[in-house]
């Protein structure tokens, strides 16, 4: 088992080569040098082989820590928030590089992180934990589109819960219209009739479920806006006073207080029961 620490924990008195070779003491000299050379090439640090940790950037130190952990060919690699000390741009770049390296070495890894974007970028499967319990163990796609409970729905991504009413086994009506193909979370079946016909429910609406459409007769008022570069995240107030989020391309730059046309495009409908 290998371990990459949050602060890398490199040996300051050893150079890069010596750090990587630390776990290879049981090998013959030639085998140890060959494996170290393979690791240096894998993490792209051949030119830094004789440097010491204080002479390296944060990203380079992270690569050395990864190479040291991988050198003995562990069956399992544990990573404790390995990118938390890096800036956002470098964190994203290195997270993808680490994923490529792990795939290349065919090593199973367990990554602990508080950054869901990082988890989504690196992991094949993600476990969402709360109070020491795994709430859902699933693919990033399913965590976002098919959350199993309210905690996961609230924790993963952005979204709002809007009131609705069960019409039949696979239809729920909300203020914005009738939604088809409903997956009923927090119940034993996948039919929304698990809540009972006419039962009140709350439906998860993601920002990408709301489409800005100038020709739609359904209007909503912009009450907040957040510029994200390629897009705006608008907070919209509906006629009832309920609010939803909408992800809109940034060339649609509207003012707060303005009414805009919207329509639904909900491909993954998730409903939660309402306690009496």
């Amino acid at each position: 088992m290998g371990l990459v620490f949050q602060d890398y924990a490199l040996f300051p008195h050893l150079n890069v080569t010596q750090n990587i070779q630390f776990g290879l003491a049981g090998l013959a000299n030639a085998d140890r040098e060959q494996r170290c050379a393979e690791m240096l090439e894998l993490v792209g640090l051949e030119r830094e082989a004789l440097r010491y940790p204080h002479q390296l950037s944060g990203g380079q130190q992270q690569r050395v820590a990864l190479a040291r952990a991988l050198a003995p060919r562990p069956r399992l690699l544990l990573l404790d928030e390995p990118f938390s000390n890096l800036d956002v741009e470098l964190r994203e770049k290195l997270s993808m590089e680490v994923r490529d390296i792990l795939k290349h070495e065919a090593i199973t890894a367990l990554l602990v992180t508080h950054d869901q974007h990082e988890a989504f970028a690196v992991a094949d499967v993600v476990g969402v934990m709360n109070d020491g319990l795994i709430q859902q163990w699933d693919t990033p796609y399913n965590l976002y589109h098919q959350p199993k409970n309210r905690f996961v729905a609230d924790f993963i991504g952005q979204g709002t819960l809007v009131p609705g009413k069960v019409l039949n086994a696979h239809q729920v009506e909300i203020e914005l219209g009738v939604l088809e193909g409903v997956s009923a979370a927090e119940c034993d079946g996948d039919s929304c009739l698990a809540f009972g016909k006419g039962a009140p429910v709350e439906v998860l609406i993601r920002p990408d479920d709301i489409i800005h459409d100038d020709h739609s007769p359904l209007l909503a008022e912009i009450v907040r806006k957040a510029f994200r570069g390629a897009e705006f995240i608008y907070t919209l107030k509906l006629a009832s006073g309920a609010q939803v989020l909408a992800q809109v391309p940034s060339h649609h730059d509207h003012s707060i207080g303005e009414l805009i046309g919207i329509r639904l495009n909900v491909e993954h409908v998730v409903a939660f029961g309402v306690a009496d």
Side-chain angles (χ1 to χ4, degrees):
M1 184 173 65
L3 176 59
V4 178
F5 296 90
Q6 182 174 352
D7 59 359
Y8 314 137
L10 299 177
F11 300 111
H13 62 291
L14 302 181
N15 62 29
V16 169
T17 295
Q18 293 166 333
N19 264 281
I20 295 175
Q21 291 182 350
F22 181 80
L24 302 176
L27 298 181
N29 287 341
D31 293 337
R32 186 165 62 248
E33 291 176 1
Q34 179 180 350
R35 181 59 176 167
C36 181
E38 292 173 358
M39 290 294 97
L40 286 169
E41 181 180 2
L42 185 65
V43 298
L45 291 177
E46 299 99 318
R47 295 182 179 181
E48 285 74 27
L50 300 180
R51 289 190 174 188
Y52 286 83
H54 72 275
Q55 298 174 307
L56 304 176
S57 67
Q60 290 172 329
Q61 290 182 35
Q62 195 265 0
R63 288 188 179 95
V64 175
L66 180 64
R68 181 180 62 182
L70 291 176
R73 293 186 173 90
R75 294 180 61 190
L76 175 65
L77 180 66
L78 306 180
L79 301 104
D80 180 15
E81 300 198 59
F83 312 113
S84 60
N85 295 326
L86 306 175
D87 61 63
V88 174
E89 183 176 352
L90 184 57
R91 183 185 308 170
E92 293 180 354
K93 179 176 182 292
L94 285 180
S95 66
M96 296 306 299
E97 290 181 359
V98 167
R99 176 181 169 85
D100 292 341
I101 289 170
L102 293 173
K103 291 290 187 182
H104 180 272
E105 292 292 292
I107 290 178
T108 299
L110 183 62
L111 168 71
V112 175
T113 178
H114 288 86
D115 186 335
Q116 59 184 268
H117 299 293
E118 182 177 292
F120 282 12
V122 176
D124 297 316
V125 182
V126 178
V128 178
M129 295 191 70
N130 183 38
D131 290 334
L133 298 176
I134 293 181
Q135 303 294 310
Q136 186 171 347
W137 182 262
D138 219 326
T139 64
Y141 184 89
N142 286 344
L143 287 175
Y144 185 83
H145 289 295
Q146 299 173 16
K148 297 297 185 184
N149 57 43
R150 291 170 183 268
F151 178 84
V152 177
D154 182 62
F155 182 78
I156 296 295
Q158 293 178 290
T160 52
L161 291 170
V162 300
K165 181 178 66 174
V166 174
L167 296 182
N168 54 53
H170 296 288
Q171 285 186 321
V172 166
E173 183 179 24
I174 63 174
E175 181 179 354
L176 297 171
V178 175
L179 303 177
E180 304 274 354
V182 182
S183 173
E186 296 184 337
C187 67
D188 294 330
D190 61 357
S191 165
C192 54
L193 275 184
F195 300 129
K197 186 175 181 179
V201 292
E202 290 184 321
V203 179
L204 176 64
I205 300 295
R206 298 289 193 187
D208 48 320
D209 293 331
I210 305 292
I211 306 299
H212 176 26
D213 184 351
D214 289 326
H215 303 291
S216 173
L218 184 61
L219 301 178
E221 178 187 353
I222 298 173
V223 294
R224 282 190 298 275
K225 58 189 292 190
F227 182 61
R228 301 288 177 84
E231 64 196 21
F232 283 105
I233 299 295
Y234 287 127
T235 302
L236 303 175
K237 184 170 70 173
L238 307 179
S240 67
Q243 295 185 354
V244 294
L245 300 175
Q247 179 179 302
V248 178
S250 62
H251 55 271
H252 293 283
D253 185 9
H254 297 282
S255 303
I256 292 177
E258 187 176 345
L259 293 175
I260 63 171
I262 59 172
R263 59 180 172 84
L264 283 175
N265 184 27
V266 186
E267 294 188 8
H268 299 86
V269 186
V270 178
F272 297 94
V274 178
D276 294 333

CSV table of all heavy atoms in Angstrom, one decimal, residues 170-221:
chain,number,residue,atom,x,y,z
A,170,HIS,N,-45.5,7.9,-13.2
A,170,HIS,CA,-44.3,8.5,-13.8
A,170,HIS,C,-44.5,9.9,-14.2
A,170,HIS,O,-43.7,10.4,-15.1
A,170,HIS,CB,-43.8,7.6,-15.0
A,170,HIS,CG,-43.4,6.2,-14.6
A,170,HIS,ND1,-42.2,5.9,-13.9
A,170,HIS,CD2,-44.0,5.0,-14.8
A,170,HIS,CE1,-42.2,4.6,-13.7
A,170,HIS,NE2,-43.2,4.1,-14.2
A,171,GLN,N,-45.4,10.6,-13.6
A,171,GLN,CA,-45.6,12.0,-13.9
A,171,GLN,C,-45.7,12.8,-12.6
A,171,GLN,O,-46.4,12.4,-11.7
A,171,GLN,CB,-46.8,12.3,-14.8
A,171,GLN,CG,-46.6,11.9,-16.2
A,171,GLN,CD,-47.8,12.3,-17.1
A,171,GLN,OE1,-49.0,12.2,-16.6
A,171,GLN,NE2,-47.6,12.8,-18.3
A,172,VAL,N,-45.1,14.0,-12.6
A,172,VAL,CA,-45.2,14.9,-11.5
A,172,VAL,C,-45.4,16.3,-12.1
A,172,VAL,O,-44.8,16.7,-13.0
A,172,VAL,CB,-43.9,14.9,-10.6
A,172,VAL,CG1,-43.9,16.1,-9.7
A,172,VAL,CG2,-43.8,13.6,-9.8
A,173,GLU,N,-46.4,17.0,-11.5
A,173,GLU,CA,-46.6,18.4,-11.9
A,173,GLU,C,-46.0,19.4,-11.0
A,173,GLU,O,-46.1,19.3,-9.8
A,173,GLU,CB,-48.2,18.6,-12.0
A,173,GLU,CG,-48.5,20.0,-12.5
A,173,GLU,CD,-50.0,20.2,-12.6
A,173,GLU,OE1,-50.8,19.5,-11.8
A,173,GLU,OE2,-50.5,21.0,-13.4
A,174,ILE,N,-45.3,20.3,-11.6
A,174,ILE,CA,-44.7,21.4,-10.8
A,174,ILE,C,-45.2,22.7,-11.5
A,174,ILE,O,-45.9,22.7,-12.5
A,174,ILE,CB,-43.2,21.4,-10.8
A,174,ILE,CG1,-42.6,21.5,-12.2
A,174,ILE,CG2,-42.7,20.1,-10.1
A,174,ILE,CD1,-41.1,21.7,-12.2
A,175,GLU,N,-44.9,23.8,-10.9
A,175,GLU,CA,-45.3,25.1,-11.4
A,175,GLU,C,-44.9,25.3,-12.9
A,175,GLU,O,-45.7,26.0,-13.6
A,175,GLU,CB,-44.8,26.3,-10.5
A,175,GLU,CG,-45.2,27.7,-11.0
A,175,GLU,CD,-44.6,28.7,-10.1
A,175,GLU,OE1,-44.0,28.4,-9.1
A,175,GLU,OE2,-44.8,29.9,-10.4
A,176,LEU,N,-43.8,24.8,-13.3
A,176,LEU,CA,-43.3,25.0,-14.6
A,176,LEU,C,-43.8,24.1,-15.7
A,176,LEU,O,-43.6,24.2,-16.8
A,176,LEU,CB,-41.8,24.9,-14.6
A,176,LEU,CG,-41.0,26.0,-13.8
A,176,LEU,CD1,-39.6,25.7,-13.7
A,176,LEU,CD2,-41.2,27.4,-14.4
A,177,GLY,N,-44.6,23.1,-15.2
A,177,GLY,CA,-45.2,22.1,-16.1
A,177,GLY,C,-45.2,20.7,-15.6
A,177,GLY,O,-44.9,20.4,-14.4
A,178,VAL,N,-45.5,19.7,-16.5
A,178,VAL,CA,-45.6,18.3,-16.1
A,178,VAL,C,-44.3,17.6,-16.5
A,178,VAL,O,-43.9,17.8,-17.7
A,178,VAL,CB,-46.8,17.6,-16.7
A,178,VAL,CG1,-46.8,16.1,-16.5
A,178,VAL,CG2,-48.1,18.2,-16.3
A,179,LEU,N,-43.7,16.9,-15.6
A,179,LEU,CA,-42.4,16.2,-15.8
A,179,LEU,C,-42.7,14.7,-16.0
A,179,LEU,O,-43.5,14.1,-15.2
A,179,LEU,CB,-41.5,16.5,-14.7
A,179,LEU,CG,-41.1,17.9,-14.4
A,179,LEU,CD1,-40.2,18.0,-13.1
A,179,LEU,CD2,-40.5,18.6,-15.6
A,180,GLU,N,-42.0,14.2,-17.0
A,180,GLU,CA,-42.2,12.7,-17.3
A,180,GLU,C,-41.0,11.9,-16.9
A,180,GLU,O,-39.9,12.4,-16.8
A,180,GLU,CB,-42.4,12.6,-18.8
A,180,GLU,CG,-43.5,13.4,-19.5
A,180,GLU,CD,-44.8,12.7,-19.4
A,180,GLU,OE1,-44.9,11.5,-19.0
A,180,GLU,OE2,-45.8,13.3,-19.8
A,181,GLY,N,-41.3,10.6,-16.6
A,181,GLY,CA,-40.2,9.7,-16.3
A,181,GLY,C,-39.5,10.0,-14.9
A,181,GLY,O,-38.3,10.2,-14.8
A,182,VAL,N,-40.3,10.1,-13.9
A,182,VAL,CA,-39.8,10.5,-12.6
A,182,VAL,C,-39.2,9.3,-11.8
A,182,VAL,O,-39.7,8.2,-11.8
A,182,VAL,CB,-41.0,11.1,-11.7
A,182,VAL,CG1,-40.4,11.5,-10.4
A,182,VAL,CG2,-41.6,12.2,-12.5
A,183,SER,N,-38.0,9.6,-11.3
A,183,SER,CA,-37.4,8.6,-10.4
A,183,SER,C,-37.6,9.1,-9.0
A,183,SER,O,-37.2,10.2,-8.6
A,183,SER,CB,-35.8,8.6,-10.7
A,183,SER,OG,-35.2,7.8,-9.7
A,184,ALA,N,-38.3,8.2,-8.2
A,184,ALA,CA,-38.6,8.6,-6.8
A,184,ALA,C,-37.5,8.2,-5.9
A,184,ALA,O,-37.3,7.0,-5.6
A,184,ALA,CB,-40.0,7.9,-6.4
A,185,ALA,N,-36.8,9.2,-5.4
A,185,ALA,CA,-35.8,8.9,-4.4
A,185,ALA,C,-36.3,8.7,-3.0
A,185,ALA,O,-37.5,9.0,-2.7
A,185,ALA,CB,-34.8,10.0,-4.4
A,186,GLU,N,-35.5,8.1,-2.1
A,186,GLU,CA,-35.9,7.9,-0.7
A,186,GLU,C,-37.2,7.0,-0.6
A,186,GLU,O,-38.0,7.3,0.2
A,186,GLU,CB,-36.1,9.2,0.0
A,186,GLU,CG,-34.8,10.0,0.1
A,186,GLU,CD,-34.9,11.3,0.9
A,186,GLU,OE1,-36.0,11.8,1.0
A,186,GLU,OE2,-33.9,11.7,1.5
A,187,CYS,N,-37.4,6.1,-1.5
A,187,CYS,CA,-38.5,5.1,-1.4
A,187,CYS,C,-38.0,3.8,-1.9
A,187,CYS,O,-36.9,3.7,-2.5
A,187,CYS,CB,-39.7,5.6,-2.1
A,187,CYS,SG,-39.5,5.7,-3.9
A,188,ASP,N,-38.8,2.8,-1.8
A,188,ASP,CA,-38.4,1.4,-2.1
A,188,ASP,C,-38.5,1.2,-3.6
A,188,ASP,O,-37.8,0.2,-4.1
A,188,ASP,CB,-39.3,0.4,-1.4
A,188,ASP,CG,-39.1,0.4,0.1
A,188,ASP,OD1,-38.0,0.8,0.5
A,188,ASP,OD2,-40.0,0.1,0.8
A,189,GLY,N,-39.3,1.9,-4.4
A,189,GLY,CA,-39.4,1.6,-5.8
A,189,GLY,C,-38.9,2.8,-6.6
A,189,GLY,O,-38.5,3.8,-6.1
A,190,ASP,N,-39.0,2.6,-7.9
A,190,ASP,CA,-38.6,3.7,-8.8
A,190,ASP,C,-39.8,4.4,-9.4
A,190,ASP,O,-39.7,5.2,-10.4
A,190,ASP,CB,-37.7,3.2,-10.0
A,190,ASP,CG,-38.4,2.2,-10.8
A,190,ASP,OD1,-39.5,1.8,-10.5
A,190,ASP,OD2,-37.7,1.7,-11.8
A,191,SER,N,-41.0,4.2,-8.8
A,191,SER,CA,-42.2,4.8,-9.3
A,191,SER,C,-42.6,5.9,-8.3
A,191,SER,O,-42.5,5.7,-7.1
A,191,SER,CB,-43.4,3.8,-9.4
A,191,SER,OG,-44.6,4.5,-9.5
A,192,CYS,N,-43.0,7.1,-8.8
A,192,CYS,CA,-43.4,8.1,-7.9
A,192,CYS,C,-44.7,7.8,-7.2
A,192,CYS,O,-45.1,8.5,-6.3
A,192,CYS,CB,-43.5,9.5,-8.6
A,192,CYS,SG,-44.5,9.5,-10.1
A,193,LEU,N,-45.4,6.8,-7.6
A,193,LEU,CA,-46.6,6.4,-6.9
A,193,LEU,C,-46.3,5.8,-5.5
A,193,LEU,O,-47.2,5.5,-4.7
A,193,LEU,CB,-47.4,5.3,-7.7
A,193,LEU,CG,-48.4,5.9,-8.7
A,193,LEU,CD1,-49.2,4.8,-9.4
A,193,LEU,CD2,-49.4,6.9,-8.1
A,194,ALA,N,-45.0,5.6,-5.3
A,194,ALA,CA,-44.6,5.1,-4.0
A,194,ALA,C,-44.9,6.2,-2.9
A,194,ALA,O,-45.1,5.9,-1.7
A,194,ALA,CB,-43.1,4.9,-3.9
A,195,PHE,N,-45.1,7.4,-3.4
A,195,PHE,CA,-45.5,8.5,-2.5
A,195,PHE,C,-47.1,8.6,-2.4
A,195,PHE,O,-47.6,9.3,-1.5
A,195,PHE,CB,-45.0,9.9,-2.9
A,195,PHE,CG,-43.5,9.9,-3.0
A,195,PHE,CD1,-42.9,10.4,-4.2
A,195,PHE,CD2,-42.7,9.5,-1.9
A,195,PHE,CE1,-41.5,10.4,-4.2
A,195,PHE,CE2,-41.3,9.6,-2.0
A,195,PHE,CZ,-40.7,10.0,-3.1
A,196,GLY,N,-47.8,8.0,-3.4
A,196,GLY,CA,-49.2,8.0,-3.4
A,196,GLY,C,-49.7,9.1,-4.4
A,196,GLY,O,-49.1,10.2,-4.5
A,197,LYS,N,-50.8,8.7,-5.2
A,197,LYS,CA,-51.3,9.7,-6.2
A,197,LYS,C,-51.8,10.9,-5.5
A,197,LYS,O,-52.5,10.8,-4.5
A,197,LYS,CB,-52.4,9.0,-6.9
A,197,LYS,CG,-53.0,9.8,-8.1
A,197,LYS,CD,-54.0,9.1,-8.9
A,197,LYS,CE,-54.5,9.9,-10.1
A,197,LYS,NZ,-55.5,9.2,-10.9
A,198,GLY,N,-51.4,12.1,-6.0
A,198,GLY,CA,-51.8,13.3,-5.4
A,198,GLY,C,-50.9,13.8,-4.3
A,198,GLY,O,-51.1,14.9,-3.7
A,199,ALA,N,-50.0,13.0,-3.9
A,199,ALA,CA,-49.1,13.3,-2.8
A,199,ALA,C,-48.2,14.5,-3.1
A,199,ALA,O,-47.7,14.6,-4.3
A,199,ALA,CB,-48.2,12.1,-2.4
A,200,PRO,N,-47.9,15.3,-2.2
A,200,PRO,CA,-46.9,16.4,-2.4
A,200,PRO,C,-45.5,15.9,-2.4
A,200,PRO,O,-45.2,15.0,-1.6
A,200,PRO,CB,-47.2,17.3,-1.2
A,200,PRO,CG,-47.7,16.4,-0.1
A,200,PRO,CD,-48.5,15.3,-0.8
A,201,VAL,N,-44.7,16.4,-3.3
A,201,VAL,CA,-43.3,16.0,-3.4
A,201,VAL,C,-42.5,17.2,-3.6
A,201,VAL,O,-43.0,18.3,-3.9
A,201,VAL,CB,-43.1,15.0,-4.6
A,201,VAL,CG1,-43.7,13.6,-4.3
A,201,VAL,CG2,-43.5,15.5,-5.9
A,202,GLU,N,-41.2,17.1,-3.6
A,202,GLU,CA,-40.3,18.1,-3.9
A,202,GLU,C,-39.4,17.6,-5.1
A,202,GLU,O,-38.9,16.5,-5.0
A,202,GLU,CB,-39.4,18.6,-2.8
A,202,GLU,CG,-40.2,19.4,-1.7
A,202,GLU,CD,-39.4,19.9,-0.6
A,202,GLU,OE1,-38.4,19.2,-0.2
A,202,GLU,OE2,-39.6,21.0,-0.2
A,203,VAL,N,-39.2,18.4,-6.1
A,203,VAL,CA,-38.5,17.9,-7.3
A,203,VAL,C,-37.2,18.7,-7.5
A,203,VAL,O,-37.2,19.9,-7.3
A,203,VAL,CB,-39.4,18.1,-8.6
A,203,VAL,CG1,-38.6,17.7,-9.8
A,203,VAL,CG2,-40.7,17.3,-8.5
A,204,LEU,N,-36.1,18.0,-7.7
A,204,LEU,CA,-34.8,18.6,-7.9
A,204,LEU,C,-34.7,19.2,-9.3
A,204,LEU,O,-34.9,18.5,-10.3
A,204,LEU,CB,-33.7,17.5,-7.7
A,204,LEU,CG,-32.3,18.0,-7.9
A,204,LEU,CD1,-31.9,19.1,-6.9
A,204,LEU,CD2,-31.3,16.8,-7.8
A,205,ILE,N,-34.5,20.5,-9.3
A,205,ILE,CA,-34.3,21.2,-10.6
A,205,ILE,C,-32.8,21.7,-10.6
A,205,ILE,O,-32.5,22.5,-9.8
A,205,ILE,CB,-35.3,22.3,-10.8
A,205,ILE,CG1,-36.7,21.8,-10.8
A,205,ILE,CG2,-35.0,23.0,-12.1
A,205,ILE,CD1,-37.0,20.8,-11.9
A,206,ARG,N,-32.1,21.3,-11.6
A,206,ARG,CA,-30.7,21.7,-11.8
A,206,ARG,C,-30.7,23.0,-12.7
A,206,ARG,O,-31.6,23.2,-13.5
A,206,ARG,CB,-29.8,20.6,-12.4
A,206,ARG,CG,-29.7,19.3,-11.6
A,206,ARG,CD,-28.8,19.5,-10.4
A,206,ARG,NE,-28.5,18.3,-9.8
A,206,ARG,CZ,-27.8,18.2,-8.6
A,206,ARG,NH1,-27.5,19.3,-8.0
A,206,ARG,NH2,-27.5,17.0,-8.1
A,207,PRO,N,-29.6,23.8,-12.6
A,207,PRO,CA,-29.5,24.9,-13.5
A,207,PRO,C,-29.6,24.6,-15.0
A,207,PRO,O,-30.1,25.4,-15.8
A,207,PRO,CB,-28.1,25.5,-13.1
A,207,PRO,CG,-27.9,25.1,-11.7
A,207,PRO,CD,-28.5,23.7,-11.6
A,208,ASP,N,-29.0,23.4,-15.3
A,208,ASP,CA,-29.1,23.1,-16.8
A,208,ASP,C,-30.4,22.5,-17.2
A,208,ASP,O,-30.6,22.1,-18.4
A,208,ASP,CB,-27.9,22.1,-17.1
A,208,ASP,CG,-27.8,20.9,-16.1
A,208,ASP,OD1,-28.0,21.2,-14.9
A,208,ASP,OD2,-27.5,19.8,-16.5
A,209,ASP,N,-31.4,22.4,-16.3
A,209,ASP,CA,-32.7,21.9,-16.6
A,209,ASP,C,-33.6,23.1,-17.1
A,209,ASP,O,-34.7,22.9,-17.7
A,209,ASP,CB,-33.4,21.3,-15.4
A,209,ASP,CG,-32.8,20.0,-14.9
A,209,ASP,OD1,-32.2,19.3,-15.8
A,209,ASP,OD2,-32.8,19.7,-13.7
A,210,ILE,N,-33.1,24.3,-16.9
A,210,ILE,CA,-33.9,25.5,-17.3
A,210,ILE,C,-33.2,26.2,-18.5
A,210,ILE,O,-32.1,26.5,-18.4
A,210,ILE,CB,-33.9,26.6,-16.1
A,210,ILE,CG1,-34.5,25.9,-14.8
A,210,ILE,CG2,-34.8,27.8,-16.5
A,210,ILE,CD1,-35.9,25.5,-14.9
A,211,ILE,N,-34.0,26.2,-19.6
A,211,ILE,CA,-33.4,26.8,-20.8
A,211,ILE,C,-34.0,28.2,-21.0
A,211,ILE,O,-35.2,28.4,-20.9
A,211,ILE,CB,-33.8,25.9,-22.0
A,211,ILE,CG1,-33.4,24.5,-21.8
A,211,ILE,CG2,-33.2,26.5,-23.3
A,211,ILE,CD1,-31.9,24.3,-21.6
A,212,HIS,N,-33.1,29.1,-21.3
A,212,HIS,CA,-33.5,30.5,-21.6
A,212,HIS,C,-34.1,30.5,-23.1
A,212,HIS,O,-33.4,30.1,-24.0
A,212,HIS,CB,-32.3,31.4,-21.5
A,212,HIS,CG,-32.6,32.9,-21.9
A,212,HIS,ND1,-33.9,33.4,-21.9
A,212,HIS,CD2,-31.8,33.8,-22.4
A,212,HIS,CE1,-33.8,34.7,-22.3
A,212,HIS,NE2,-32.6,34.9,-22.6
A,213,ASP,N,-35.3,30.9,-23.2
A,213,ASP,CA,-36.0,30.9,-24.5
A,213,ASP,C,-36.9,32.2,-24.6
A,213,ASP,O,-37.9,32.4,-24.0
A,213,ASP,CB,-36.9,29.7,-24.6
A,213,ASP,CG,-37.6,29.5,-26.0
A,213,ASP,OD1,-37.5,30.5,-26.8
A,213,ASP,OD2,-38.2,28.5,-26.2
A,214,ASP,N,-36.4,33.1,-25.5
A,214,ASP,CA,-37.1,34.4,-25.7
A,214,ASP,C,-38.5,34.2,-26.2
A,214,ASP,O,-39.3,35.1,-26.0
A,214,ASP,CB,-36.3,35.3,-26.6
A,214,ASP,CG,-35.0,35.8,-26.0
A,214,ASP,OD1,-35.0,36.0,-24.8
A,214,ASP,OD2,-34.0,36.0,-26.8
A,215,HIS,N,-38.8,33.1,-26.8
A,215,HIS,CA,-40.1,32.9,-27.4
A,215,HIS,C,-41.1,32.1,-26.5
A,215,HIS,O,-42.2,31.9,-26.8
A,215,HIS,CB,-40.0,32.1,-28.7
A,215,HIS,CG,-39.1,32.7,-29.7
A,215,HIS,ND1,-39.4,33.9,-30.4
A,215,HIS,CD2,-37.9,32.4,-30.2
A,215,HIS,CE1,-38.5,34.3,-31.2
A,215,HIS,NE2,-37.5,33.4,-31.1
A,216,SER,N,-40.6,31.8,-25.3
A,216,SER,CA,-41.5,31.0,-24.4
A,216,SER,C,-42.4,32.0,-23.7
A,216,SER,O,-42.0,33.1,-23.2
A,216,SER,CB,-40.6,30.3,-23.3
A,216,SER,OG,-41.4,29.7,-22.3
A,217,PRO,N,-43.7,31.6,-23.5
A,217,PRO,CA,-44.6,32.5,-22.8
A,217,PRO,C,-44.4,32.4,-21.3
A,217,PRO,O,-45.0,33.2,-20.5
A,217,PRO,CB,-46.0,31.8,-23.1
A,217,PRO,CG,-45.7,30.4,-23.4
A,217,PRO,CD,-44.3,30.4,-24.1
A,218,LEU,N,-43.6,31.4,-20.8
A,218,LEU,CA,-43.4,31.3,-19.4
A,218,LEU,C,-42.2,32.2,-19.0
A,218,LEU,O,-41.1,32.1,-19.5
A,218,LEU,CB,-43.0,29.8,-19.1
A,218,LEU,CG,-42.7,29.5,-17.6
A,218,LEU,CD1,-44.0,29.7,-16.8
A,218,LEU,CD2,-42.3,28.0,-17.5
A,219,LEU,N,-42.5,33.2,-18.1
A,219,LEU,CA,-41.6,34.2,-17.7
A,219,LEU,C,-41.1,34.1,-16.3
A,219,LEU,O,-41.9,33.6,-15.4
A,219,LEU,CB,-42.2,35.6,-17.9
A,219,LEU,CG,-42.7,36.0,-19.3
A,219,LEU,CD1,-43.3,37.4,-19.4
A,219,LEU,CD2,-41.5,35.9,-20.3
A,220,ALA,N,-39.9,34.5,-16.0
A,220,ALA,CA,-39.4,34.5,-14.7
A,220,ALA,C,-38.5,35.7,-14.5
A,220,ALA,O,-37.9,36.2,-15.4
A,220,ALA,CB,-38.5,33.2,-14.4
A,221,GLU,N,-38.5,36.2,-13.3
A,221,GLU,CA,-37.7,37.5,-13.0
A,221,GLU,C,-36.3,37.1,-12.4
A,221,GLU,O,-36.1,36.3,-11.6
A,221,GLU,CB,-38.4,38.3,-11.9
A,221,GLU,CG,-37.7,39.6,-11.5
A,221,GLU,CD,-38.4,40.3,-10.4
A,221,GLU,OE1,-39.5,39.8,-10.0
A,221,GLU,OE2,-37.8,41.2,-9.8
